[in-house]
Amino acid sequence: MVATRILPTVAGWAAGIAVTAAILGTPYLLFAYHDPQLHLVLDSADTGVALLVAFLIWGRYRRSGRLQDLLLAGGLLLLAVGGIGMALGLHLLGLEDGRADVWLPVAIRVVGALMVLTASVVGVRRVPDGWARVLTALPWATVALGLLLTYLLRGSLPVPLAATPPVSAEHPVITGHPALLVAHGLTAVCFAVASVLFACKAAQRSRGQDELLRWLGPAFGLAAFARLNYLLFPSLYSDWLYTGDLLRTGSYAVLLVGAAREISRYWSAQARAAVLEDRRRLARELHDGVVQELAYIRVETHTAVGDPEDRERMVAACDRALDEARAAIDALGRSTDEPLGFVLHRAARQVADRYNASLEVELDDSVHADDEQRHALVRITREAVSNAIRHGRTERVRLRLERDQHRRRLLVLDEGQGFDPATVKRNTTGYGLTSMEERASALRGSVNIDSVPGRGTTVAVTW
C-alpha cells in the first residue's frame, strides 16, 4: 500500500533522470530548438495551471487553516507570476532590456521554491496566530519589492547570459552569471527535497485522505530536474525551447492531474455528506414517529389483551416491528466510517438491553466490511441475539468478531435451551433461520448454526 502511494513520485524521478541522462550521454540528441511560439504556449499553459492549483490550495487553506496549504498556495502563486506575469509587468514598466526580465523572474521563482520547501517541512500544523496575514501578503510583497528594486537598479544589473544560444545544441553549455547558476541550482535542490518530503507524507496518509498530496511528489520531482536542465543550459529566458521547458510543463501537467482528482474527491465528499444528512433526517423522523407509536402499541397490548397467548403473539409482533424500525434507523443515521465491531456491538446491545440480558463482546477492530455487508451482518446479529434471549431463554449472550486466515467470522453464542436445527428448518415460520441464511449468502459467505437442546446455540457467519 505504501509503495503504491509513492509510485507516482518514483515515476517522476525516473522520467527526470532518464531525460537528463539522455542529454548528458547522447551527443546526437538535440535538446534546444528555436521555437518562440511553442515556448510562449508552454509558458502560458504552465502559468495557468500554477494559478489554478494555487487557487485550489488557497481554498483548502480557507477550510483547514493549515500552514502547509498557505505556504504551498503562496509558493505556486510566485512560480506562476514569475512567468508571463513578470514579462507583462516589466513590459509595462519599460524594463525589457535582457537583464531585468531575467533577474526578477528568477528571484521570484527562488522565493517560490523556498516557500514550497517550507510547506513540505511544516506538515499539517495550523497557522500560528498573527502569522496568517503576514504569510498571505508575502507573495504580493515579494513581487512588489522585486519590481521596485528592479526599477531602482535597472542600470546596474549584471548581464545574466553572456552568450546567445547556438543554432543547435548537442552538448550542455554551462554559461551565464554565477548568481544565475546558483539560483537554478538552489531552486532545483528545494524542489527535489520537497518532492521527497511530500512523497513521505503521502505514504503516511491513508488512501484518499489527501489526493493532491500524492501528486505533489512527482510534480516537484520533475520541476527539480527541469531546473537542473536549465543549469546545464541556462537560457530559460530566450526564444528557444529546451528539455527543461518540457520537464517543467510535465511537472505542471502532473499538478493538473492532482488538482482534478482533488476536485473530484471534494465534490464526491460533498455528495456523500448531503446523502448522509438526508439519511439522518429520515432516521429522526422514523424515531420520533414510527418507533414511538410502536412502543405505545406494545405497552397497551401488554396490559389490555386478556388472553396470554394472544398477548404474547401481539407483543412479539410489536417487538419485530420495533426491531425493523430500529434497524432502519441505524442503517440511515449512522456513518459508514464507524468500525464494524462498534456497529455490531451497538446493534447487539440494543436487543440485549430490551430484554435485560447481559452481553459479552470480543471484537477485532481490524475486520472490515462494505456497506451492504454491514447491513446484512447487523440484521443477522440482531436476529441471532433476539432468538437467543427470547427462544433460548438465556440471560447472557456472547458476540465475537474475528479474522481466520483469509476469512472473516462473526459468532453469536449462548448457553440457553438450544433447539434441534433440523426440526426448526421444517417450520418456515420459526426463528428467522431462513432469513439469516439468505443474508449470509448475499455476503458471499455462509452461516452455520450449531445447537443441541439444553446445551445452547452457536451462530457462526463466515465470509
Side-chain angles (χ1 to χ4, degrees):
M1 184 65 72
V2 173
T4 302
R5 294 175 197 149
I6 65 173
L7 184 60
T9 302
V10 174
W13 276 74
I17 292 173
V19 171
T20 305
I23 292 173
L24 294 175
T26 307
Y28 305 105
L29 178 63
L30 302 181
F31 59 92
Y33 298 88
H34 189 267
D35 195 336
Q37 291 81 12
L38 186 55
H39 191 276
L40 179 61
V41 168
L42 293 183
D43 271 350
S44 301
D46 295 347
T47 299
V49 172
L51 287 174
L52 172 64
V53 179
F55 179 76
L56 171 65
I57 297 177
W58 170 256
R60 292 207 326 174
Y61 160 70
R62 295 294 299 272
R63 297 191 303 271
S64 67
R66 294 188 304 188
L67 180 59
Q68 182 184 75
D69 290 337
L70 179 56
L71 291 171
L72 192 55
L76 288 173
L77 177 62
L78 287 176
L79 294 176
V81 172
I84 300 298
M86 281 299 93
L88 178 60
L90 293 171
H91 175 73
L92 295 176
L93 293 175
L95 297 176
E96 293 179 300
D97 57 357
R99 299 183 183 185
D101 50 347
V102 173
W103 289 115
L104 182 56
V106 79
I108 288 178
R109 283 192 168 103
V110 167
V111 178
L114 290 172
M115 291 187 70
V116 169
L117 175 61
T118 307
S120 68
V121 173
V122 297
V124 296
R125 69 188 67 176
R126 295 181 64 84
V127 180
D129 295 338
W131 281 94
R133 292 184 179 180
V134 174
L135 294 176
T136 301
L138 180 59
W140 307 106
T142 300
V143 173
L145 180 61
L147 287 171
L148 177 61
L149 291 176
T150 301
Y151 181 78
L152 295 176
L153 301 175
R154 60 188 180 277
S156 58
L157 291 173
V159 176
L161 295 171
T164 303
V167 176
S168 65
E170 296 180 355
H171 300 282
V173 180
I174 302 178
T175 184
H177 194 279
L180 179 65
L181 302 181
V182 169
H184 285 313
L186 176 61
T187 306
V189 170
C190 289
F191 284 151
V193 175
S195 172
V196 173
L197 292 179
F198 279 127
C200 293
K201 293 181 186 301
Q204 295 170 2
R205 306 282 181 89
S206 61
R207 184 176 178 85
Q209 184 178 0
D210 194 336
E211 189 64 39
L212 181 60
L213 183 65
R214 184 167 172 249
W215 298 94
L216 294 178
F220 289 120
L222 288 172
F225 283 100
R227 298 298 155 178
L228 179 60
N229 278 263
Y230 292 138
L231 176 63
L232 297 175
F233 200 90
S235 301
L236 170 64
Y237 308 98
S238 70
D239 292 333
W240 285 63
L241 184 69
Y242 304 94
T243 52
D245 296 319
L246 297 179
L247 287 171
R248 184 188 63 182
T249 300
S251 73
Y252 284 116
V254 173
L255 277 179
L256 185 60
V257 171
R261 294 178 67 90
E262 173 76 5
I263 292 172
S264 175
R265 188 193 66 84
Y266 172 77
W267 285 113
S268 296
Q270 291 294 101
R272 288 194 299 270
V275 170
L276 182 59
E277 179 58 31
D278 199 40
R279 287 160 61 99
R280 286 173 174 166
R281 180 184 62 80
L282 291 174
R284 289 193 299 269
E285 294 296 327
L286 279 173
H287 180 270
D288 295 340
V290 175
V291 171
Q292 299 299 328
E293 293 299 324
L294 286 173
Y296 172 75
I297 293 172
R298 184 181 189 279
V299 172
E300 290 298 313
T301 300
H302 193 271
T303 57
V305 178
D307 186 6
E309 292 185 1
D310 290 342
R311 181 170 62 235
E312 184 67 23
R313 285 195 298 271
M314 295 183 69
V315 169
C318 288
D319 286 341
R320 289 194 296 271
L322 283 169
D323 278 342
E324 291 292 328
R326 289 184 174 120
I329 290 172
D330 278 339
L332 289 170
R334 304 299 180 181
S335 171
T336 57
D337 295 332
E338 292 180 337
L340 176 62
F342 181 80
V343 174
L344 298 180
H345 185 186
R346 182 178 58 228
R349 175 63 64 189
Q350 289 175 349
V351 178
D353 287 348
R354 188 187 320 141
Y355 298 104
N356 296 319
S358 63
L359 179 68
E360 297 180 4
V361 296
E362 184 179 343
L363 305 173
D364 184 353
D365 289 335
S366 68
V367 178
H368 300 283
D370 59 32
D371 293 344
E372 293 184 2
Q373 291 175 333
R374 280 170 172 257
H375 181 67
L377 290 170
V378 167
R379 299 301 294 267
I380 292 173
T381 299
R382 297 179 72 94
E383 180 71 26
V385 173
S386 176
N387 287 342
I389 299 173
R390 293 171 55 228
H391 301 291
R393 306 298 180 183
T394 185
E395 296 182 353
R396 184 180 66 177
V397 180
R398 287 181 291 164
L399 180 68
R400 291 170 55 186
L401 181 65
E402 60 189 21
R403 186 184 299 275
D404 182 12
Q405 295 182 350
H406 302 295
R407 305 283 285 177
R408 293 159 288 181
R409 185 164 56 189
L410 169 67
L411 297 170
V412 180
L413 308 96
D414 70 81
E415 299 176 355
Q417 295 179 356
F419 62 94
D420 182 4
T423 302
V424 172
K425 285 184 178 180
R426 290 194 294 268
N427 180 9
T428 58
T429 63
Y431 299 99
L433 300 185
T434 302
S435 174
M436 286 194 290
E437 290 177 349
E438 290 176 351
R439 294 187 185 279
S441 177
L443 290 171
R444 297 183 298 276
S446 62
V447 61
N448 180 55
I449 301 174
D450 182 14
S451 183
V452 176
R455 298 184 181 180
T457 303
T458 299
V459 177
V461 181
T462 305
W463 77 102

